[in-house]
């Protein structure tokens, strides 16, 4: 059965574009690039794992469209998201004679998208990039909204730009090959998006958990559409995180601290975000008037998505120090996105003594597995 892709518009001062969501889009990358950028040469950025799975289809579609193609394949993983790789890629672009007529195509997950987007934003002071996200996390979050970046020694994404893509092509059929840990990363961001979007979206996700965890294609497609649509609305209203976009950090303050203290890659981003959401919900009950039923509702949804609680051998003070080092901290204070109920949020500065107590409680609950 051929399913026509859904089109989600993103409209920002930095660029307007469509996010297409549906199965089979990998086969039409070349034709769509040619239509949007006639005469362009294509520089495809991917990683070794994605290249094995999806490279031939995408490369074939670009060549079949009569577009000149150059392929740069990175080592898979966060370690590739650095200055050196970005610089090497720009050297490759210039050696191969790519000019302003280039289009970068980022085929892969968040690492490939952030790195290729960053290179596209600075090479020749900016060339177009098309995102072709192949992970659930990238389809529901990182490919939309134009954030690009590389990691520095002191943390993730500490250098970056806003660079809106020419187009985002989310082929939901390529998610079937994802490993379990990648599904969980995407599930955590899906849960976050549903809670922030509102009661109907939360109820929809609750009702579809079983099929989602089983990887049912239509359910996955509907969930990607919900989250991508929500993100598109938020970034269209606030491209540069001056106000509304900040809500997307819900669950991420503790998540970043956990990842930093445990070592990147030791805990998956999805598991860390789920822990961060539980922590933010507990803080929301204390500081933002969230009802216990709502906190429980979030707990149940995360559990149903396989994002169960963990126990971490980390002192509260270490986590607190890592939160202070976060680039979102302001004037030496840690800021949290809290939520009273689905669809509502506020950015709140939280004092250290409250955070320390809440962290002790969160660690205790983790040990008890509740
Ligand atoms: N991932 C959060 C944002 O794009 O703002």
């Amino acid at each position: 059965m051929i399913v026509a892709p859904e089109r989600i518009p993103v409209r920002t001062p930095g660029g307007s574009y469509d996010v297409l969501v549906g199965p089979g889009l990998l086969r039409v990358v070349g034709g769509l690039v040619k239509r949007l950028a006639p005469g362009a040469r294509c520089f495809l950025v991917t990683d070794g794992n994605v290249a094995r799975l999806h490279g031939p289809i995408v490369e074939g579609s670009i060549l079949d469209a009569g577009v000149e193609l150059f392929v740069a394949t990175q080592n898979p993983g966060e370690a590739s998201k650095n200055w050196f790789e970005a610089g090497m890629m720009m050297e490759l672009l210039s050696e191969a004679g790519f000019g302003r007529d280039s289009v970068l195509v980022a085929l892969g997950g968040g690492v490939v998208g952030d790195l290729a987007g960053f290179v596209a934003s600075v090479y020749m002071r900016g060339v177009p990039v098309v995102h072709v996200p192949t992970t659930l996390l990238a389809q529901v979050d990182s490919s939309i909204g134009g954030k690009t970046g590389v990691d520095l020694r002191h943390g993730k994404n500490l250098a970056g730009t806003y660079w809106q893509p020419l187009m985002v092509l989310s082929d939901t059929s390529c998610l079937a090959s994802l490993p379990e840990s990648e599904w969980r990363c995407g599930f955590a961001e899906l849960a976050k998006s549903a809670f922030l979007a509102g009661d109907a979206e939360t109820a929809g996700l609750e009702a579809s958990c079983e099929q989602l965890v089983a990887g049912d294609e239509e359910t996955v497609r509907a969930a990607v559409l919900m989250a991508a649509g929500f993100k598109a609305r938020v970034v269209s209203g606030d491209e540069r995180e001056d106000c509304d976009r900040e809500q997307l950090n819900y669950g991420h303050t503790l998540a970043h601290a956990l990842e930093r203290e445990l070592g990147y890659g030791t805990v998956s981003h999805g598991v860390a975000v789920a822990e961060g959401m539980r922590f933010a919900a507990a803080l929301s009950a204390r500081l933002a008037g969230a009802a216990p039923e709502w906190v429980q509702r979030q707990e149940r949804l995360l559990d149903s998505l396989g994002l169960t609680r963990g126990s971490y051998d980390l002192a509260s003070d270490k986590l607190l120090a890592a939160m202070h080092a976060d680039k979102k901290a302001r004037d030496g204070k840690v800021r949290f996105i809290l939520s009273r109920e689905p669809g509502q949020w506020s950015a709140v500065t939280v004092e250290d003594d409250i955070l320390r107590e809440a962290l002790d409680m969160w660690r205790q609950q983790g040990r008890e597995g509740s």
Side-chain angles (χ1 to χ4, degrees):
M1 186 180 61
I2 296 172
V3 183
E6 298 279 345
R7 189 180 66 82
I8 299 169
V10 181
R11 303 286 173 257
T12 74
S16 293
Y17 53 97
D18 288 334
V19 179
L20 299 188
V21 178
L25 285 167
L26 293 187
R27 294 184 188 285
V28 295
V29 172
L32 290 169
V33 167
K34 189 164 181 165
R35 195 189 305 163
L36 282 179
R41 303 167 73 201
C42 228
F43 190 91
L44 178 69
V45 182
T46 188
D47 72 33
N49 291 340
V50 177
R52 264 190 303 283
L53 287 167
H54 308 301
I57 294 178
V58 175
E59 289 173 32
S61 101
I62 293 171
L63 293 171
D64 287 350
V67 177
E68 192 184 327
L69 173 66
F70 191 101
V71 183
T73 307
Q74 303 293 308
N75 286 328
E78 191 72 31
S80 292
K81 218 176 92 178
N82 60 48
W83 278 121
F84 180 74
E85 292 295 335
M88 287 290 287
M89 211 182 284
M90 284 186 260
E91 294 294 353
L92 274 179
L93 276 158
S94 68
E95 266 164 36
F98 276 80
R100 286 246 166 90
D101 60 349
S102 334
V103 172
L104 268 72
V105 175
L107 173 69
V111 168
V112 164
D114 284 2
L115 182 65
F118 180 69
V119 168
S121 71
V122 289
Y123 183 66
M124 300 231 161
R125 298 205 178 85
V127 296
V129 60
V130 171
H131 287 300
V132 187
T134 56
T135 63
L136 184 60
L137 173 74
Q139 293 193 357
V140 301
D141 187 23
S142 61
S143 66
I144 304 166
K147 278 191 182 175
T148 83
V150 291
D151 301 336
L152 301 183
R153 272 203 299 275
H154 283 283
K156 275 169 78 169
N157 299 322
L158 288 186
T161 56
Y162 286 96
W163 190 245
Q164 300 298 340
L166 194 60
M167 170 171 61
V168 179
L169 300 174
S170 292
D171 184 336
T172 46
S173 48
C174 66
L175 301 177
S177 55
L178 288 181
E180 191 52 42
S181 62
E182 277 296 339
W183 278 106
R184 278 209 290 270
C185 281
F187 287 158
E189 296 293 346
L190 269 180
K192 178 199 82 175
S193 302
F195 277 127
L196 292 171
D199 199 46
E201 289 82 355
T202 304
L205 194 60
E206 284 166 337
S208 62
C209 270
E210 217 171 291
Q211 297 98 303
L212 203 55
V213 171
D216 175 70
E217 220 178 294
E218 183 44 38
T219 310
V220 172
R221 193 181 75 93
V224 172
L225 274 174
M226 177 280 291
F230 169 68
K231 176 127 192 215
R233 288 196 297 281
V234 171
V235 300
S236 292
D238 175 24
E239 182 185 28
R240 298 276 172 139
E241 205 168 305
D242 294 320
C243 46
D244 260 14
R245 189 167 181 165
E246 200 184 355
Q247 68 181 289
L248 302 178
N249 295 321
Y250 181 65
H252 283 63
T253 312
L254 177 65
H256 289 156
L258 261 181
E259 287 183 284
R260 190 183 158 113
E261 288 308 311
L262 290 170
Y264 294 109
T266 309
V267 57
S268 93
H269 182 65
V271 168
V273 169
E275 293 289 355
M277 288 172 63
R278 293 178 198 279
F279 185 71
L283 274 182
S284 300
R286 181 164 177 181
L287 303 175
E293 300 77 54
W294 138 230
V295 177
Q296 288 306 317
R297 191 174 170 192
Q298 181 183 270
E299 292 280 341
R300 278 195 302 276
L301 178 57
L302 293 172
D303 285 347
S304 309
L305 291 169
L307 295 156
T308 46
R309 247 179 208 285
S311 174
Y312 304 92
D313 189 18
L314 280 173
S316 299
D317 276 335
K318 275 202 136 196
L319 287 166
L320 190 55
M323 286 178 188
H324 276 282
D326 195 282
K327 64 181 185 296
K328 304 273 183 335
R330 300 266 192 289
D331 300 327
K333 300 261 186 225
V334 182
R335 263 162 83 84
F336 266 84
I337 302 302
L338 303 183
S339 172
R340 193 179 60 238
E341 59 195 13
Q344 187 281 337
W345 67 278
S346 52
V348 176
T349 297
V350 186
E351 297 297 332
D352 282 1
D353 52 349
I354 295 182
L355 281 177
R356 206 174 281 109
E357 250 176 57
L359 281 166
D360 288 345
M361 177 106 63
W362 167 78
R363 290 171 59 236
Q364 176 69 26
Q365 284 169 342
R367 280 194 291 275
E368 289 164 1
S370 62

